Amino acid sequence: MAGPVTTGWEWSAESLAAVGLARLGALYTDAAFADLERERVFWSSWVLVAAAEEVRPGSALAVDLAGASVAIWRRPTGELAAFHNLCPHRGIPLIGLPGPVGRFVTCPYHQWSFDLDGRLARISQPEEFPHADRTAIRLRPVAVVEWHGLVFACLAEPAPDFSSVVAPLEKRIAAHLTAPWVEVTRRDYMLACNWKLLVENHVDVYHLWYLHQRSLSGYRHEEFRWEWQGETWWSWEPARHPTPPGPGGARPVGRHPEGIGAHLVFPNLMVVTTGDFLATYDARPQGPDRTAVTLRIRSTPDADPDTLVGSIRAFLDEDIVACESLQRTVGSPVFGVGPTARSHEAPVLQFHQLLRQKLNSP
Ligand code: FES
Ligand SMILES: [Fe+2]
């Protein structure tokens, strides 16, 4: 169907054409664009892949980073190491299910072994490989960092400096990050929408009054404050009535006991902070119209997981309904985005600007 090119979020017809798209809605439906995004956005950014608790000393974990399998384990010193999870012999995954690792990791296919630094330690039937340069055979490293109980990985070589990426947010939510909290629960969801719709929704201030008119009525949206700095977004709004201390009682100085914070680490990590917890949920694309999300909540060890999950799902469920129904209209030939609220939707424009930047720098 021919018709006017529909645009929005400051995507011009030219900038859409530069990434192979004819209209705005294809950002959310086009499979080739989803591949481009995977390579240029997800494979070049720091992405949350696990909680620190998931990688115990002496254990290994395989995680999916936008279609690339990454193996993570701890060296005896406790330090994390990460490698592409494929054997340099024939490419089979080295680590399948989470499991123990000793001094070596052994490939299940032909039993080559690697030390925990990724160096080849043993080839089975070495006489069969008279010309192999054993020093050149090694696992391909992946950059990994542990950040206040969260594990991030980055496939870019070299990876950008992680601490400068998160520094602006780290300063803002330092008390939450350094609180003596543990992961009290982790829940997995599969949503029928493009990952960007969830991120746009997360940084959209405008819908708080309307979509969440009941679930978030306890906060003063008119006092909402936010700040984009580099690749992170920070926001906070005060509660109408101060809430009593949560499980565990005392709160560290500097925490915001009377409000709620919503934050983003570009591209896909959404963070929520209150006086009682720090929650993360990441939008991991599984194709243009499906997104896997893992909700992780850090709080005091005695906190009730169901109560914490319930307090988030009260508004998150409303967001999911909105995003999944939007997914049903982005395929329309006339889908576009109209004028945007100058302050309350400005963070969404910032998100798209960053996205364009990443897409344009292969
Ligand atoms: S594929 Fe790993 S040893 Fe052959
Ligand atoms: Fe929302």
Side-chain angles (χ1 to χ4, degrees):
M1 176 181 159
V5 171
T6 47
T7 55
W9 302 135
E10 293 182 352
W11 283 87
S12 62
E14 294 70 33
S15 58
L16 285 169
V19 290
L21 302 179
R23 52 187 184 78
L24 188 73
L27 285 172
Y28 310 94
T29 60
D30 190 275
F33 178 71
D35 278 348
L36 188 74
E37 231 172 27
R38 217 155 63 119
E39 272 176 43
R40 296 197 183 166
V41 179
F42 283 84
W43 291 353
S44 72
S45 302
W46 282 97
V47 176
L48 178 74
V49 288
E53 286 88 345
E54 291 174 77
V55 205
R56 298 183 188 286
S59 76
L61 180 71
V63 296
D64 176 81
L65 200 169
S69 184
V70 176
I72 306 175
W73 54 72
R74 280 192 198 275
R75 297 193 171 97
T77 53
E79 206 185 27
L80 288 177
F83 298 91
H84 283 274
N85 185 24
L86 48 90
C87 178
H89 177 221
R90 292 265 296 282
I92 200 171
L94 281 172
I95 306 289
L97 299 172
V101 287
R103 285 177 53 219
F104 301 102
V105 178
T106 301
C107 177
Y109 206 175
H110 312 98
Q111 293 202 344
W112 290 14
S113 296
F114 302 87
D115 68 18
L116 297 189
D117 292 319
R119 285 183 295 254
L120 179 71
R122 178 185 169 273
I123 289 187
S124 49
Q125 302 187 38
E127 65 283 4
E128 285 285 318
F129 298 88
H131 304 301
D133 175 2
R134 297 177 57 146
T135 55
I137 301 172
R138 53 168 305 141
L139 306 182
R140 186 120 169 220
V142 168
V144 66
V145 295
E146 190 171 342
W147 188 63
H148 306 293
L150 302 170
V151 177
F152 288 74
C154 179
L155 301 190
E157 294 177 24
D161 178 44
F162 177 80
S163 31
S164 14
V165 171
V166 293
L169 181 61
E170 185 160 25
K171 215 184 284 168
R172 288 287 199 173
I173 61 166
H176 289 87
L177 292 170
T178 56
W181 287 346
V182 295
E183 186 178 84
V184 290
T185 190
R186 186 186 320 145
R187 313 265 167 119
D188 292 307
Y189 308 106
M190 186 64 74
L191 310 183
C193 64
N194 184 274
W195 71 277
K196 293 185 293 300
L197 295 176
L198 289 160
V199 175
E200 290 167 10
N201 170 275
H202 185 74
V203 301
D204 169 10
V205 185
Y206 195 27
H207 78 296
L208 297 176
W209 282 269
Y210 314 108
L211 187 69
H212 301 308
Q213 55 186 288
R214 271 194 294 280
S215 59
L216 294 181
S217 61
Y219 297 96
R220 297 181 195 280
H221 308 319
E222 61 282 6
E223 290 175 39
F224 196 100
R225 289 154 50 204
W226 61 264
E227 179 181 86
W228 261 106
Q229 273 203 59
E231 298 192 14
T232 64
W233 182 69
W234 167 88
S235 79
W236 181 74
E237 61 177 348
R240 292 198 184 284
H241 309 290
T243 50
R251 293 173 159 132
V253 178
R255 191 94 53 81
H256 308 300
E258 298 175 352
I260 188 167
H263 326 292
L264 179 80
V265 180
F266 183 88
N268 70 331
L269 181 63
M270 296 166 273
V271 182
V272 170
T273 49
T274 72
D276 299 323
F277 63 79
L278 178 144
T280 60
Y281 39 103
D282 52 342
R284 305 189 305 279
Q286 310 290 300
D289 57 358
R290 278 165 69 80
T291 301
V293 170
T294 301
L295 169 65
R296 296 178 167 90
I297 306 181
R298 304 188 74 79
S299 185
T300 51
D302 60 349
D304 175 45
D306 291 332
T307 308
L308 295 181
V309 171
S311 72
I312 290 173
R313 293 223 50 162
F315 60 87
L316 187 58
D317 285 358
E318 293 168 340
D319 290 325
I320 292 171
V321 168
C323 294
E324 290 189 334
S325 52
L326 254 172
Q327 188 67 38
R328 292 193 280 275
T329 55
V330 288
S332 160
V334 299
F335 173 82
V337 169
T340 48
R342 65 177 172 187
S343 164
H344 297 333
E345 289 180 298
V348 190
L349 296 183
Q350 296 263 22
F351 166 68
H352 277 276
Q353 216 171 70
L354 266 178
L355 187 69
R356 275 192 299 274
Q357 256 171 40
K358 290 269 180 175
L359 289 166
N360 291 329
S361 50

Coordinates of all heavy atoms in Angstrom, one line a residue, residues 84-160:
H84 N 33.6 -16.2 24.8 CA 32.6 -16.7 23.9 C 32.4 -18.2 24.2 O 33.4 -18.9 24.2 CB 33.0 -16.5 22.4 CG 32.8 -15.0 22.0 ND1 31.6 -14.6 21.6 CD2 33.6 -14.0 22.1 CE1 31.7 -13.3 21.3 NE2 32.9 -12.9 21.6
N85 N 31.2 -18.6 24.3 CA 31.0 -20.0 24.7 C 31.0 -21.0 23.5 O 30.0 -21.6 23.2 CB 29.6 -20.1 25.5 CG 29.3 -21.4 26.1 OD1 30.3 -22.2 26.3 ND2 28.1 -21.8 26.3
L86 N 32.1 -21.0 22.9 CA 32.2 -22.0 21.8 C 33.6 -22.5 21.7 O 34.6 -21.7 21.8 CB 31.6 -21.5 20.5 CG 32.0 -20.1 19.9 CD1 33.2 -20.2 19.0 CD2 30.9 -19.5 19.1
C87 N 33.7 -23.7 21.4 CA 35.0 -24.4 21.3 C 35.7 -24.0 20.0 O 35.2 -24.0 19.0 CB 34.8 -25.9 21.4 SG 36.4 -26.8 21.2
P88 N 37.0 -23.6 20.1 CA 37.7 -23.2 18.9 C 38.0 -24.4 18.0 O 38.5 -24.1 16.8 CB 39.1 -22.6 19.4 CG 39.1 -22.9 20.9 CD 37.8 -23.4 21.3
H89 N 37.7 -25.6 18.4 CA 37.9 -26.7 17.5 C 36.8 -26.7 16.4 O 37.0 -26.5 15.3 CB 38.0 -28.0 18.2 CG 38.1 -29.2 17.3 ND1 37.4 -30.4 17.6 CD2 38.8 -29.4 16.2 CE1 37.7 -31.3 16.6 NE2 38.5 -30.7 15.7
R90 N 35.5 -27.0 16.9 CA 34.4 -27.1 15.9 C 33.2 -26.2 16.3 O 32.2 -26.3 15.6 CB 34.0 -28.5 15.8 CG 35.1 -29.4 15.1 CD 34.8 -29.5 13.6 NE 33.6 -30.2 13.4 CZ 33.4 -31.6 13.5 NH1 34.4 -32.3 13.7 NH2 32.2 -32.1 13.2
G91 N 33.4 -25.4 17.4 CA 32.3 -24.4 17.7 C 31.2 -24.9 18.6 O 30.3 -24.1 18.8
I92 N 31.3 -26.0 19.1 CA 30.2 -26.5 20.0 C 30.2 -25.7 21.3 O 31.3 -25.3 21.7 CB 30.3 -28.0 20.3 CG1 28.9 -28.6 20.7 CG2 31.4 -28.3 21.3 CD1 28.9 -30.1 20.7
P93 N 29.1 -25.4 22.0 CA 29.2 -24.7 23.3 C 30.0 -25.5 24.3 O 29.8 -26.8 24.4 CB 27.7 -24.6 23.7 CG 26.9 -24.8 22.5 CD 27.7 -25.7 21.6
L94 N 30.9 -24.8 25.0 CA 31.7 -25.5 26.0 C 30.9 -25.8 27.3 O 31.0 -26.8 27.9 CB 32.9 -24.6 26.4 CG 34.0 -24.6 25.4 CD1 35.0 -23.6 25.8 CD2 34.7 -26.0 25.4
I95 N 30.1 -24.8 27.6 CA 29.3 -24.9 28.8 C 27.8 -25.0 28.4 O 27.3 -24.2 27.6 CB 29.4 -23.6 29.7 CG1 30.9 -23.3 30.0 CG2 28.5 -23.7 31.0 CD1 31.5 -24.2 31.0
G96 N 27.1 -26.0 28.9 CA 25.7 -26.1 28.6 C 24.9 -25.6 29.8 O 24.8 -24.4 30.0
L97 N 24.4 -26.5 30.6 CA 23.7 -26.0 31.8 C 24.7 -25.5 32.8 O 25.9 -25.8 32.8 CB 23.0 -27.3 32.4 CG 21.9 -27.9 31.4 CD1 21.4 -29.2 32.0 CD2 20.8 -26.9 31.1
P98 N 24.2 -24.7 33.8 CA 25.1 -24.2 34.8 C 25.7 -25.4 35.5 O 25.0 -26.4 35.7 CB 24.2 -23.4 35.8 CG 23.0 -23.1 35.0 CD 22.8 -24.2 33.9
G99 N 27.0 -25.4 35.8 CA 27.6 -26.5 36.5 C 29.0 -26.2 37.0 O 29.4 -25.1 36.9
P100 N 29.6 -27.1 37.7 CA 30.9 -26.9 38.3 C 32.0 -26.8 37.3 O 31.9 -27.4 36.2 CB 31.1 -28.1 39.3 CG 30.2 -29.2 38.7 CD 29.1 -28.5 37.9
V101 N 33.0 -26.0 37.6 CA 34.2 -26.0 36.8 C 35.4 -26.3 37.8 O 35.4 -25.8 39.0 CB 34.5 -24.7 36.1 CG1 33.6 -24.5 34.9 CG2 34.5 -23.5 37.0
G102 N 36.4 -27.0 37.4 CA 37.5 -27.3 38.2 C 38.7 -26.4 37.7 O 38.4 -25.2 37.5
R103 N 39.9 -27.0 37.6 CA 41.0 -26.1 37.1 C 40.9 -26.0 35.5 O 41.5 -25.1 35.0 CB 42.3 -26.8 37.4 CG 42.6 -26.6 38.9 CD 43.9 -27.3 39.3 NE 45.0 -26.9 38.4 CZ 46.0 -27.8 38.0 NH1 45.9 -29.0 38.3 NH2 46.9 -27.3 37.2
F104 N 40.1 -26.8 34.9 CA 40.0 -26.8 33.5 C 38.5 -26.9 33.0 O 37.7 -27.4 33.8 CB 40.8 -28.0 32.8 CG 42.2 -27.9 33.2 CD1 42.7 -28.8 34.2 CD2 43.1 -27.1 32.6 CE1 44.1 -28.8 34.5 CE2 44.4 -27.0 32.9 CZ 44.9 -27.9 33.9
V105 N 38.3 -26.4 31.8 CA 37.0 -26.6 31.2 C 37.2 -27.5 30.0 O 38.1 -27.3 29.2 CB 36.4 -25.3 30.7 CG1 35.1 -25.5 30.0 CG2 36.3 -24.3 31.9
T106 N 36.4 -28.6 30.0 CA 36.6 -29.6 28.9 C 35.5 -29.6 28.0 O 34.3 -29.7 28.4 CB 36.8 -31.0 29.5 OG1 38.0 -30.9 30.4 CG2 37.1 -32.1 28.5
C107 N 35.8 -29.6 26.7 CA 34.7 -29.6 25.7 C 34.1 -31.0 25.6 O 34.7 -32.0 25.6 CB 35.3 -29.2 24.3 SG 34.1 -29.3 23.0
P108 N 32.7 -31.0 25.6 CA 32.0 -32.3 25.6 C 32.2 -33.1 24.3 O 32.0 -34.3 24.2 CB 30.6 -31.9 25.8 CG 30.5 -30.5 25.3 CD 31.8 -29.9 25.6
Y109 N 32.6 -32.4 23.2 CA 32.6 -33.1 21.9 C 33.8 -34.0 21.7 O 33.7 -35.2 21.5 CB 32.5 -32.0 20.8 CG 31.9 -32.4 19.4 CD1 31.7 -31.5 18.4 CD2 31.5 -33.8 19.2 CE1 31.1 -31.9 17.2 CE2 31.0 -34.1 18.0 CZ 30.8 -33.2 17.0 OH 30.2 -33.6 15.8
H110 N 35.1 -33.4 21.7 CA 36.3 -34.2 21.5 C 37.3 -34.0 22.6 O 38.4 -34.3 22.5 CB 37.0 -33.8 20.2 CG 36.0 -33.8 19.0 ND1 35.5 -32.6 18.5 CD2 35.5 -34.7 18.2 CE1 34.7 -32.8 17.5 NE2 34.7 -34.1 17.3
Q111 N 36.7 -33.4 23.7 CA 37.5 -33.3 25.0 C 38.8 -32.5 24.9 O 39.8 -32.9 25.4 CB 37.7 -34.7 25.6 CG 36.4 -35.3 26.0 CD 36.5 -36.3 27.1 OE1 37.6 -36.9 27.3 NE2 35.5 -36.6 27.7
W112 N 38.8 -31.4 24.1 CA 39.9 -30.5 24.3 C 39.7 -29.8 25.7 O 38.5 -29.5 26.0 CB 40.0 -29.4 23.2 CG 40.4 -30.0 21.9 CD1 40.5 -31.3 21.5 CD2 40.8 -29.2 20.8 NE1 40.9 -31.3 20.2 CE2 41.1 -30.1 19.7 CE3 40.9 -27.8 20.5 CZ2 41.5 -29.6 18.4 CZ3 41.3 -27.4 19.3 CH2 41.6 -28.3 18.2
S113 N 40.8 -29.4 26.4 CA 40.6 -28.8 27.7 C 41.2 -27.4 27.6 O 42.3 -27.2 26.9 CB 41.2 -29.6 28.8 OG 40.6 -30.8 28.9
F114 N 40.7 -26.5 28.4 CA 41.2 -25.1 28.4 C 41.3 -24.7 29.9 O 40.5 -25.2 30.8 CB 40.2 -24.2 27.7 CG 39.9 -24.6 26.3 CD1 39.0 -25.5 26.0 CD2 40.7 -24.0 25.3 CE1 38.8 -25.9 24.7 CE2 40.6 -24.4 24.0 CZ 39.6 -25.4 23.7
D115 N 42.3 -23.9 30.2 CA 42.4 -23.5 31.6 C 41.5 -22.3 31.8 O 40.8 -21.8 30.9 CB 43.9 -23.1 32.0 CG 44.4 -21.9 31.3 OD1 43.6 -21.1 30.7 OD2 45.7 -21.7 31.2
L116 N 41.4 -21.8 33.1 CA 40.4 -20.8 33.4 C 40.7 -19.4 32.7 O 39.9 -18.5 32.8 CB 40.2 -20.7 34.9 CG 39.6 -22.0 35.6 CD1 39.3 -21.7 37.0 CD2 38.4 -22.6 34.8
D117 N 41.9 -19.3 32.2 CA 42.2 -18.1 31.4 C 42.0 -18.3 29.9 O 42.3 -17.4 29.1 CB 43.7 -17.7 31.7 CG 43.9 -17.2 33.1 OD1 43.1 -16.5 33.6 OD2 44.9 -17.6 33.7
G118 N 41.4 -19.4 29.6 CA 41.0 -19.6 28.2 C 42.1 -20.3 27.3 O 41.9 -20.4 26.1
R119 N 43.3 -20.6 27.9 CA 44.4 -21.1 27.1 C 44.2 -22.6 26.9 O 43.7 -23.3 27.8 CB 45.7 -20.9 27.8 CG 46.3 -19.5 27.8 CD 47.6 -19.5 28.4 NE 47.5 -19.7 29.8 CZ 47.6 -18.8 30.8 NH1 47.9 -17.6 30.5 NH2 47.5 -19.2 32.1
L120 N 44.5 -23.1 25.8 CA 44.4 -24.5 25.5 C 45.3 -25.3 26.4 O 46.5 -25.0 26.5 CB 44.8 -24.8 24.0 CG 44.7 -26.3 23.6 CD1 43.3 -26.8 23.5 CD2 45.4 -26.5 22.3
A121 N 44.8 -26.3 27.1 CA 45.6 -27.1 28.1 C 45.9 -28.5 27.5 O 46.9 -29.0 27.8 CB 44.9 -27.2 29.4
R122 N 45.0 -29.0 26.8 CA 45.1 -30.4 26.3 C 44.3 -30.7 25.0 O 43.2 -30.2 25.0 CB 44.7 -31.3 27.4 CG 44.7 -32.8 27.1 CD 44.1 -33.7 28.2 NE 44.0 -35.1 27.7 CZ 42.9 -35.5 27.0 NH1 41.9 -34.7 26.8 NH2 42.9 -36.7 26.6
I123 N 45.0 -31.3 24.1 CA 44.2 -31.8 22.9 C 44.2 -33.4 23.0 O 45.2 -34.0 23.3 CB 45.0 -31.4 21.6 CG1 44.8 -29.9 21.3 CG2 44.4 -32.2 20.4 CD1 45.4 -29.5 20.0
S124 N 43.0 -33.9 22.8 CA 43.0 -35.4 22.8 C 43.6 -35.9 21.5 O 43.5 -35.3 20.5 CB 41.5 -35.9 23.0 OG 40.7 -35.2 22.0
Q125 N 44.3 -37.0 21.6 CA 45.1 -37.6 20.5 C 45.9 -36.6 19.8 O 45.7 -36.3 18.6 CB 44.1 -38.3 19.5 CG 43.2 -39.4 20.1 CD 42.4 -40.1 19.1 OE1 42.9 -40.4 18.0 NE2 41.2 -40.5 19.5
P126 N 46.9 -36.0 20.5 CA 47.6 -34.9 19.9 C 48.4 -35.3 18.6 O 48.6 -34.4 17.7 CB 48.6 -34.5 21.0 CG 48.6 -35.6 22.0 CD 47.3 -36.3 21.8
E127 N 48.7 -36.5 18.5 CA 49.4 -37.0 17.2 C 48.6 -36.7 16.0 O 49.1 -36.7 14.9 CB 49.8 -38.5 17.4 CG 48.7 -39.5 17.4 CD 48.0 -39.6 18.8 OE1 48.3 -38.8 19.7 OE2 47.0 -40.4 18.9
E128 N 47.2 -36.5 16.2 CA 46.4 -36.3 15.0 C 46.5 -34.8 14.5 O 46.0 -34.4 13.5 CB 44.9 -36.5 15.4 CG 44.5 -38.0 15.5 CD 44.3 -38.6 14.1 OE1 43.8 -37.9 13.2 OE2 44.8 -39.7 13.9
F129 N 47.2 -34.0 15.3 CA 47.3 -32.5 15.0 C 48.7 -32.1 15.0 O 49.1 -31.2 15.7 CB 46.5 -31.7 16.1 CG 45.0 -32.0 16.1 CD1 44.6 -33.1 16.9 CD2 44.1 -31.4 15.3 CE1 43.2 -33.4 17.0 CE2 42.8 -31.7 15.4 CZ 42.3 -32.7 16.2
P130 N 49.5 -32.7 14.1 CA 51.0 -32.4 14.1 C 51.3 -30.9 13.8 O 52.3 -30.4 14.2 CB 51.5 -33.3 13.0 CG 50.4 -33.7 12.2 CD 49.1 -33.6 13.0
H131 N 50.4 -30.3 13.0 CA 50.7 -28.9 12.6 C 49.9 -27.8 13.4 O 50.1 -26.6 13.0 CB 50.4 -28.7 11.1 CG 51.1 -29.7 10.3 ND1 52.5 -29.8 10.3 CD2 50.7 -30.7 9.5 CE1 52.9 -30.8 9.5 NE2 51.8 -31.4 9.0
A132 N 49.2 -28.2 14.3 CA 48.4 -27.2 15.1 C 49.3 -26.4 15.9 O 50.2 -26.9 16.6 CB 47.3 -27.9 15.9
D133 N 49.1 -25.0 15.9 CA 49.9 -24.1 16.7 C 49.1 -24.0 18.0 O 48.1 -23.2 18.1 CB 50.0 -22.8 16.0 CG 50.7 -21.7 17.0 OD1 51.0 -22.1 18.1 OD2 50.8 -20.6 16.5
R134 N 49.5 -24.8 19.0 CA 48.7 -24.9 20.2 C 48.6 -23.6 21.0 O 47.7 -23.3 21.7 CB 49.3 -26.0 21.1 CG 49.1 -27.3 20.4 CD 49.7 -28.5 21.2 NE 49.1 -28.5 22.5 CZ 48.9 -29.7 23.2 NH1 49.2 -30.8 22.6 NH2 48.4 -29.7 24.4
T135 N 49.6 -22.7 20.8 CA 49.6 -21.4 21.6 C 48.6 -20.5 21.0 O 48.1 -19.5 21.6 CB 51.0 -20.7 21.6 OG1 51.4 -20.6 20.2 CG2 52.0 -21.5 22.4
A136 N 48.2 -20.7 19.7 CA 47.3 -19.8 19.1 C 45.8 -20.2 19.3 O 44.9 -19.5 19.0 CB 47.5 -19.7 17.5
I137 N 45.6 -21.4 19.8 CA 44.3 -21.9 20.1 C 43.9 -21.5 21.5 O 44.4 -22.0 22.5 CB 44.2 -23.5 19.9 CG1 44.7 -23.9 18.5 CG2 42.8 -24.0 20.2 CD1 44.9 -25.4 18.3
R138 N 42.9 -20.7 21.5 CA 42.4 -20.3 22.9 C 41.0 -19.8 22.8 O 40.5 -19.5 21.7 CB 43.3 -19.2 23.5 CG 43.6 -18.0 22.7 CD 44.2 -16.9 23.5 NE 43.4 -16.7 24.7 CZ 43.8 -16.4 25.9 NH1 45.1 -16.4 26.1 NH2 43.0 -16.2 26.9
L139 N 40.3 -19.7 23.9 CA 38.9 -19.2 23.9 C 39.0 -17.7 23.7 O 39.9 -17.0 24.1 CB 38.3 -19.5 25.3 CG 38.3 -21.0 25.7 CD1 37.5 -21.1 27.0 CD2 37.6 -21.8 24.6
R140 N 38.0 -17.2 23.0 CA 37.9 -15.8 22.7 C 37.3 -15.0 23.9 O 36.2 -15.2 24.2 CB 37.1 -15.6 21.5 CG 37.1 -14.3 20.9 CD 37.7 -14.2 19.5 NE 37.4 -12.9 19.0 CZ 37.0 -12.6 17.8 NH1 36.9 -13.6 16.9 NH2 36.8 -11.4 17.4
P141 N 38.1 -14.1 24.5 CA 37.6 -13.4 25.7 C 36.5 -12.4 25.4 O 36.4 -11.9 24.3 CB 38.9 -12.7 26.2 CG 39.8 -12.7 25.1 CD 39.5 -13.7 24.1
V142 N 35.7 -12.3 26.4 CA 34.6 -11.3 26.4 C 34.8 -10.4 27.7 O 35.1 -10.9 28.7 CB 33.2 -12.0 26.5 CG1 32.1 -11.0 26.8 CG2 33.0 -12.8 25.2
A143 N 34.6 -9.1 27.5 CA 34.8 -8.2 28.6 C 33.6 -8.4 29.6 O 32.5 -8.6 29.2 CB 34.7 -6.7 28.2
V144 N 34.0 -8.5 30.9 CA 32.9 -8.7 31.9 C 33.3 -7.9 33.2 O 34.4 -7.7 33.5 CB 32.9 -10.3 32.3 CG1 34.2 -10.8 32.9 CG2 31.7 -10.6 33.1
V145 N 32.2 -7.4 33.8 CA 32.5 -6.7 35.1 C 31.4 -7.1 36.1 O 30.2 -7.4 35.7 CB 32.5 -5.1 35.0 CG1 33.6 -4.6 34.1 CG2 31.1 -4.6 34.4
E146 N 31.7 -7.0 37.3 CA 30.7 -7.2 38.4 C 30.5 -5.8 39.0 O 31.4 -5.1 39.4 CB 31.3 -8.1 39.4 CG 30.3 -8.6 40.4 CD 30.9 -9.8 41.2 OE1 31.9 -10.4 40.9 OE2 30.3 -10.0 42.3
W147 N 29.2 -5.4 39.1 CA 28.9 -4.0 39.5 C 27.8 -4.1 40.6 O 26.7 -4.4 40.2 CB 28.4 -3.2 38.3 CG 28.2 -1.8 38.5 CD1 29.2 -0.8 38.9 CD2 27.0 -1.0 38.4 NE1 28.6 0.4 39.0 CE2 27.3 0.3 38.7 CE3 25.7 -1.4 38.0 CZ2 26.3 1.3 38.6 CZ3 24.7 -0.4 38.0 CH2 25.0 0.9 38.2
H148 N 28.2 -4.0 41.8 CA 27.3 -4.1 42.9 C 26.3 -5.2 42.8 O 25.1 -5.0 42.9 CB 26.5 -2.7 43.0 CG 27.4 -1.5 43.1 ND1 28.3 -1.3 44.2 CD2 27.7 -0.6 42.2 CE1 29.0 -0.2 43.9 NE2 28.7 0.3 42.7
G149 N 26.8 -6.4 42.6 CA 25.9 -7.6 42.6 C 25.3 -7.9 41.2 O 24.6 -8.8 41.0
L150 N 25.6 -7.1 40.2 CA 25.1 -7.3 38.8 C 26.3 -7.6 37.9 O 27.3 -6.9 38.0 CB 24.3 -6.1 38.4 CG 23.1 -5.7 39.2 CD1 22.6 -4.3 38.8 CD2 22.0 -6.7 39.2
V151 N 26.1 -8.5 37.0 CA 27.2 -8.9 36.1 C 26.9 -8.4 34.7 O 25.8 -8.7 34.1 CB 27.4 -10.4 36.1 CG1 28.5 -10.8 35.1 CG2 27.8 -10.9 37.5
F152 N 27.8 -7.6 34.1 CA 27.6 -7.0 32.8 C 28.7 -7.6 31.9 O 29.8 -7.8 32.3 CB 27.8 -5.5 32.7 CG 26.6 -4.7 33.4 CD1 26.5 -4.7 34.7 CD2 25.7 -4.0 32.6 CE1 25.4 -4.0 35.3 CE2 24.7 -3.3 33.1 CZ 24.5 -3.3 34.5
A153 N 28.3 -7.8 30.6 CA 29.3 -8.3 29.6 C 29.2 -7.4 28.4 O 28.2 -6.8 28.1 CB 29.1 -9.7 29.2
C154 N 30.3 -7.3 27.6 CA 30.3 -6.5 26.4 C 31.1 -7.3 25.3 O 32.3 -7.7 25.6 CB 30.9 -5.1 26.7 SG 31.0 -4.1 25.2
L155 N 30.6 -7.5 24.2 CA 31.3 -8.2 23.1 C 32.2 -7.3 22.3 O 33.0 -7.8 21.5 CB 30.3 -8.8 22.1 CG 29.3 -9.8 22.7 CD1 28.5 -10.5 21.6 CD2 29.9 -10.9 23.6
A156 N 32.1 -6.0 22.4 CA 33.0 -5.1 21.6 C 34.5 -5.4 22.0 O 34.8 -5.6 23.1 CB 32.6 -3.7 21.9
E157 N 35.3 -5.3 20.9 CA 36.8 -5.4 21.1 C 37.5 -4.2 20.5 O 37.5 -4.1 19.3 CB 37.3 -6.7 20.5 CG 36.7 -8.0 21.1 CD 37.2 -9.2 20.4 OE1 38.2 -9.2 19.7 OE2 36.5 -10.2 20.5
P158 N 38.0 -3.3 21.3 CA 37.9 -3.3 22.8 C 36.6 -2.8 23.3 O 35.9 -2.0 22.6 CB 39.1 -2.3 23.2 CG 39.1 -1.3 22.0 CD 38.7 -2.1 20.8
A159 N 36.2 -3.2 24.5 CA 35.0 -2.8 25.1 C 35.1 -1.3 25.6 O 36.2 -1.0 26.1 CB 34.6 -3.7 26.3
P160 N 34.1 -0.5 25.5 CA 34.2 0.8 26.1 C 34.4 0.7 27.6 O 34.0 -0.3 28.2 CB 32.8 1.4 25.7 CG 31.9 0.3 25.3 CD 32.8 -0.8 24.9

